[in-house]
Amino acid sequence: MRLSKHFIPTVKENPKEAEIVSHRLMLRSGMIRQSSAGIYIWLPTGLRVLNKIANIVREEQNRAGAIELLMPTIQPAELWQESGRYDAYGKEMLRITDRHERDMLFGPTNEEMITDLFKNNVKSYKDLPLNMYHIQWKFRDEVRPRFGIMRGREFLMKDNYSFDLDFEGAKESYNKMYVAYLRTFARLGLVAIPVKADSGAIGGDMSHEFQILAETGESTLHYDKAIEDFDLSSLTGDIDDETVAKLQSYYAMEEEKHDADNCPVADSDLKTAKGIEVGHIFYFGTKYSESMGATVAGPDGKEVNVEMGSYGIGVSRLVGALIEANHDDNGIIWPEAVAPYKVGLINLRFKDENCTAACDALYNKLEAAGIEVLYDDRDAGAGAKFADMDLIGVPWQVVVGPKGLEKGVIELKNRRTGERVELTEEELLEKLG
């Protein structure tokens, strides 16, 4: 994409309303703009990152055997009244009335809707296990939305729900999601710490939060350093329950639950870091199947309330969390897997015909090779072009200037390390291909 024809409204100064790094950089780099409190317009580069994260999440859900569907954002209140959560959920739920005076709500989560779908369509244990997910916008009416998309009112979430005949099956479904989450965050270039957690309004008694490490995180974590060293390649193929059980046994606690006097981890092995919650998984048994009548005929013909689990990843929250974990004073440093573009092509001398011709030709070759390129072809100074590329965070910067062309080389800069090398065009295409 040529920057001269793109829409990336970058800003030099830090916006006054932005309290944290990710909010500042998302506004400055032209990823988002606020529509109203806690609600944002996703601009082109922001949307590209959001979609790439969603696709990685989707691939790992599919790999784990979950089936994608799409449920509506607006839900009938009677489903929540049936489960007993309509009044209990609180003011975060946006309640509305349609023209026929029916009570509706903008869904903050989908346990009730998926349970209703299940009970009306699945009748036999032979159809189990079943795990269904979707990636959909949610709304929670936060009393004080802040930190940009990290604590907004409208957010994109992957949520899925497992249905099993008994506890053993439910535990296996839970462990599959546990592994899928670790794989997902690893593919995003993040260190994720699974922390035993409370289930809150969702309910249940087996739960883990997934916290990614970032210096600007809200939570303080204490954990066994062995978690960071764990080799995820023992988690390929079928679920190895023994390995998962070992991983789940590692100590990891938030500050308020950590007891230093009785900590089971030696001081030399205990690490402390800041974390940002980006995922949460729950097992809640028959909490919803009992209240809403979700049963199947078991092997003996008797009706059985299915065992359920719920699993969520904050897809839009991950955009902010990735920035919190990957930035410097000059801007964002995207991991290559989710960067809006892999390569930023910079024409140092717009008015130099040779430079422009060389850049145009290289741009076409990169595009033909299937490499995502943001080509800064603007009539602007080199300093402004470098600053914008650093701010936007494209992993590789390809710099074409008259001096390099005279020598037959092109400069390649690694955004993360700052390393610069001079390569021939052939070497450049081979390295980026």
Side-chain angles (χ1 to χ4, degrees), residues 28-221:
R28 286 194 56 213
S29 66
M31 293 180 68
I32 57 170
R33 287 294 181 266
Q34 182 171 294
S35 170
S36 59
I39 301 175
Y40 291 87
I41 301 166
W42 287 79
L43 303 185
T45 53
L47 183 59
R48 288 178 72 92
V49 173
L50 188 67
N51 286 339
K52 287 187 175 184
I53 293 172
N55 283 336
I56 288 174
V57 171
R58 177 178 285 110
E59 287 167 7
E60 291 302 327
Q61 288 294 295
N62 294 344
R63 180 182 181 184
I67 303 165
E68 187 172 13
L69 46 68
L70 183 61
M71 290 178 276
T73 57
I74 303 298
Q75 303 182 26
E78 55 258 32
L79 290 181
W80 288 66
Q81 290 163 347
E82 189 177 352
S83 74
R85 279 209 300 177
Y86 185 66
D87 295 321
Y89 201 87
K91 292 184 177 180
E92 285 189 353
M93 180 189 289
L94 181 63
R95 294 165 168 84
I96 55 181
T97 305
D98 68 11
R99 66 167 64 192
H100 301 291
E101 299 300 317
R102 290 178 295 218
D103 290 329
M104 311 289 283
L105 58 99
F106 195 126
T109 184
N110 282 79
E111 281 79 11
E112 282 79 4
M113 182 161 282
I114 198 74
T115 304
D116 186 67
L117 176 71
F118 178 92
K119 80 172 184 181
N120 290 318
N121 293 277
V122 182
K123 303 300 180 184
S124 171
Y125 77 96
K126 294 179 181 179
D127 297 317
L128 302 180
L130 183 62
N131 192 322
M132 295 182 282
Y133 80 97
H134 69 164
I135 299 174
Q136 178 227 47
W137 291 96
K138 302 285 194 292
F139 188 92
R140 294 178 188 168
D141 200 4
E142 294 276 356
V143 63
R144 191 166 75 91
R146 57 197 178 117
F147 302 154
I149 59 159
M150 298 285 283
R151 187 70 63 80
R153 294 194 294 166
E154 186 182 54
F155 53 95
L156 188 63
M157 184 175 178
K158 185 284 303 179
D159 48 315
N160 62 302
Y161 307 89
S162 60
F163 300 86
D164 288 275
L165 183 64
D166 53 30
F167 173 75
E168 288 305 314
K171 185 176 180 181
E172 185 173 352
S173 294
Y174 184 94
N175 286 344
K176 283 183 179 179
M177 284 298 107
Y178 185 94
V179 171
Y181 276 39
L182 291 177
R183 287 173 173 157
T184 299
F185 300 130
R187 284 186 61 186
L188 294 172
L190 296 168
V191 177
I193 305 297
V195 181
K196 290 180 182 178
D198 294 327
S199 296
I202 299 285
D205 55 12
M206 185 163 65
S207 176
H208 284 87
E209 285 180 3
F210 289 81
Q211 301 256 1
I212 66 157
L213 301 184
E215 292 180 2
T216 50
E218 291 183 82
S219 304
T220 300
L221 309 177

Side-chain angles (χ1 to χ4, degrees), residues 175-420:
N175 286 344
K176 283 183 179 179
M177 284 298 107
Y178 185 94
V179 171
Y181 276 39
L182 291 177
R183 287 173 173 157
T184 299
F185 300 130
R187 284 186 61 186
L188 294 172
L190 296 168
V191 177
I193 305 297
V195 181
K196 290 180 182 178
D198 294 327
S199 296
I202 299 285
D205 55 12
M206 185 163 65
S207 176
H208 284 87
E209 285 180 3
F210 289 81
Q211 301 256 1
I212 66 157
L213 301 184
E215 292 180 2
T216 50
E218 291 183 82
S219 304
T220 300
L221 309 177
H222 301 272
Y223 62 94
D224 189 329
K225 69 179 184 181
I227 296 175
E228 288 186 11
D229 299 330
F230 191 84
D231 183 5
L232 287 175
S233 62
S234 61
L235 296 179
T236 57
D238 294 333
I239 295 298
D240 182 340
D241 288 329
E242 184 177 336
T243 303
V244 175
K246 179 181 179 181
L247 184 54
Q248 290 178 354
S249 72
Y250 286 133
Y251 181 86
M253 289 289 174
E254 290 192 75
E255 175 74 47
E256 56 268 24
K257 297 178 184 177
H258 173 66
D259 183 350
D261 294 331
N262 296 296
C263 180
V265 182
D267 288 346
S268 58
D269 294 328
L270 188 68
K271 298 191 73 171
T272 301
K274 291 289 186 179
I276 299 171
E277 183 191 343
V278 290
H280 207 157
I281 62 177
F282 310 86
Y283 159 74
F284 43 66
T286 59
K287 174 181 171 67
Y288 295 93
S289 60
E290 284 187 5
S291 63
M292 299 185 71
T295 64
V296 295
D300 58 2
K302 294 181 180 179
E303 292 296 308
V304 178
N305 290 111
V306 291
E307 301 271 342
M308 293 177 60
S310 174
Y311 317 90
I313 288 179
V315 177
S316 54
R317 184 179 176 84
L318 267 169
V319 179
L322 276 159
I323 295 172
E324 294 291 334
N326 295 275
H327 69 272
D328 61 16
D329 291 341
N330 296 320
I332 303 167
I333 307 174
W334 288 116
E336 204 165 295
V338 296
Y341 296 91
K342 179 177 180 177
V343 172
L345 176 58
I346 299 173
N347 182 353
L348 285 183
R349 294 283 178 85
F350 174 81
K351 294 181 180 178
D352 185 308
E353 291 184 3
N354 290 334
C355 266
T356 297
C359 274
D360 287 348
L362 183 56
Y363 172 62
N364 291 332
K365 289 177 182 177
L366 290 166
E367 289 246 299
I371 298 169
E372 296 175 316
V373 187
L374 180 61
Y375 175 17
D376 194 340
D377 60 341
R378 299 173 299 171
D379 183 6
K385 292 184 177 186
F386 284 127
D388 274 350
M389 283 297 179
D390 280 351
L391 178 61
I392 294 167
V394 178
W396 298 97
Q397 295 176 16
V398 174
V399 184
V400 177
K403 292 182 179 179
L405 290 178
E406 286 179 8
K407 296 190 293 182
V409 296
I410 300 164
E411 184 179 89
L412 178 66
K413 174 188 169 183
N414 183 310
R415 172 68 180 94
R416 185 171 295 276
T417 66
E419 179 187 8
R420 298 171 183 266

